[in-house]
Amino acid sequence: SSRVVEIQSQMSERAVELLGLPEDRPCLLLDVGCGSGLSGDYISEEGHYWIGMDISPAMLDVAVEREVEGDLLLADVGHGIPFRPGMFDGCISISAVQWLCNADKKSHSPPKRLYRFFSTLYTALARGSRAVLQLYPENSEQLELITAQAMRAGFTGGMVVDYPNSAKAKKFFLCLFVGTSGTLPKGLGTECATEEPHQAKFTNERTRFRNVKGKSVKKSRDWILEKKERRRRQGKEVRADTKYTGRKRRPHF
């Protein structure tokens, strides 16, 4: 339907925008799960070149009939990206990568297939370039699985969520950097969001002593103060805090 085409086009446009391509020269992009070539049309309109990969012969036949400008390859990206190192200036993918989470055959292991895809994609991308993969995750476990395998393969970056407060317009873009850690772009429609996700808010100095899990380092002053505070809340007798609390003692010989 024309509505689907319209949404596809909008997401392709957004994905290419998130790639942050140089404006002074044409780039070569990889389109993963290119289907009938709708996102490819937008890439061509922008003056760039592309190669599309898809697992569906029927979809690629439609792309051929539509006389798209990109080159097309029938392949399962779970087997890897078969291009030479550093060949692409960027990669986009619209609504495709979540399919790698499904085990369609007995022999399929989703983590392995995802890792194979991401590690070979990493190699095929030029240093300093990006991959922007729009996906429809079924749940947070899928998101974590996909992101974890991307990071394992060497990518940095993370999830950009457009319109996080809207059930209909909410879109996930996995924005990955190759060889350089860029700043993650802001999601659309997040300006009005009250709570910025992933933004650490440092309210007091004490948080800097916390370890990775968010607990204070054992036996540190913070740890002792927190423990005493807990005891007080339980109504136990606890000595008052002073400047000596948690202080290192000098060794006695």
Side-chain angles (χ1 to χ4, degrees):
S1 73
S2 63
R3 180 83 189 106
V4 173
V5 171
E6 190 188 325
I7 291 171
Q8 281 279 105
S9 305
Q10 280 170 4
M11 293 194 301
S12 310
E13 211 167 310
R14 177 67 172 140
V16 173
E17 178 191 327
L18 288 169
L19 281 179
L21 298 170
E23 283 168 25
D24 53 352
R25 63 180 178 88
C27 295
L28 177 62
L29 304 183
L30 176 64
D31 185 352
V32 167
C34 62
S36 59
L38 291 173
S39 27
D41 290 345
Y42 178 73
I43 295 171
S44 299
E45 270 168 42
E46 289 292 291
H48 300 297
Y49 301 99
W50 58 279
I51 296 176
M53 290 177 75
D54 205 283
I55 199 170
S56 160
M59 292 294 267
L60 291 177
D61 285 346
V62 176
V64 171
E65 268 165 44
R66 290 180 59 245
E67 298 185 343
V68 297
E69 289 185 25
D71 291 320
L72 304 168
L73 175 68
L74 175 67
D76 174 359
V77 297
H79 293 156
I81 305 294
F83 292 101
R84 66 170 194 270
M87 179 162 157
F88 295 99
D89 302 305
C91 166
I92 69 162
S93 178
I94 307 299
S95 325
V97 176
Q98 73 272 1
W99 297 113
L100 287 172
C101 294
N102 303 347
D104 299 325
K105 300 195 172 93
K106 275 238 164 41
S107 60
H108 280 185
S109 149
K112 278 193 183 136
R113 285 168 58 75
L114 281 161
Y115 180 69
R116 179 110 189 99
F117 164 64
F118 282 121
S119 54
T120 52
L121 175 62
Y122 188 91
T123 306
L125 285 165
R127 304 303 91 176
S129 65
R130 295 181 187 180
V132 176
L133 317 168
Q134 179 274 326
L135 46 104
Y136 288 112
E138 271 180 31
N139 48 41
S140 58
E141 286 78 40
Q142 262 194 12
L143 268 187
E144 278 164 31
L145 172 66
I146 293 168
T147 309
Q149 296 306 324
M151 301 302 151
R152 233 190 99 202
F155 286 105
T156 55
M159 204 61 73
V160 174
V161 186
D162 283 356
Y163 308 111
N165 304 330
S166 153
K168 269 207 167 122
K170 187 177 188 177
K171 294 285 179 293
F172 292 90
F173 293 87
L174 184 56
C175 191
L176 303 170
F177 305 106
V178 182
T180 52
S181 46
T183 329
L184 210 54
K186 286 244 182 299
L188 299 176
T190 52
E191 294 75 26
C192 51
T194 46
E195 191 51 44
E196 277 265 298
H198 313 308
Q199 286 289 320
K201 298 262 189 291
F202 291 108
T203 45
N204 59 9
E205 279 290 87
R206 295 237 311 257
T207 52
R208 70 169 189 268
F209 292 106
R210 291 171 180 260
N211 66 15
V212 184
K213 292 206 174 99
K215 295 196 180 79
S216 291
V217 181
K218 198 160 184 181
K219 298 284 195 278
S220 66
R221 181 180 161 87
D222 289 324
W223 182 82
I224 293 167
L225 289 172
E226 283 166 21
K227 189 168 174 179
K228 286 171 82 168
E229 196 46 53
R230 275 202 306 278
R231 292 275 168 97
R232 281 193 198 100
R233 283 203 300 271
Q234 290 161 0
K236 296 189 174 131
E237 284 267 315
V238 182
R239 281 193 194 175
D241 300 334
T242 70
K243 64 177 183 177
Y244 301 116
T245 304
R247 194 179 66 158
K248 287 263 184 289
R249 292 170 187 250
R250 288 216 301 281
H252 289 287
F253 293 111

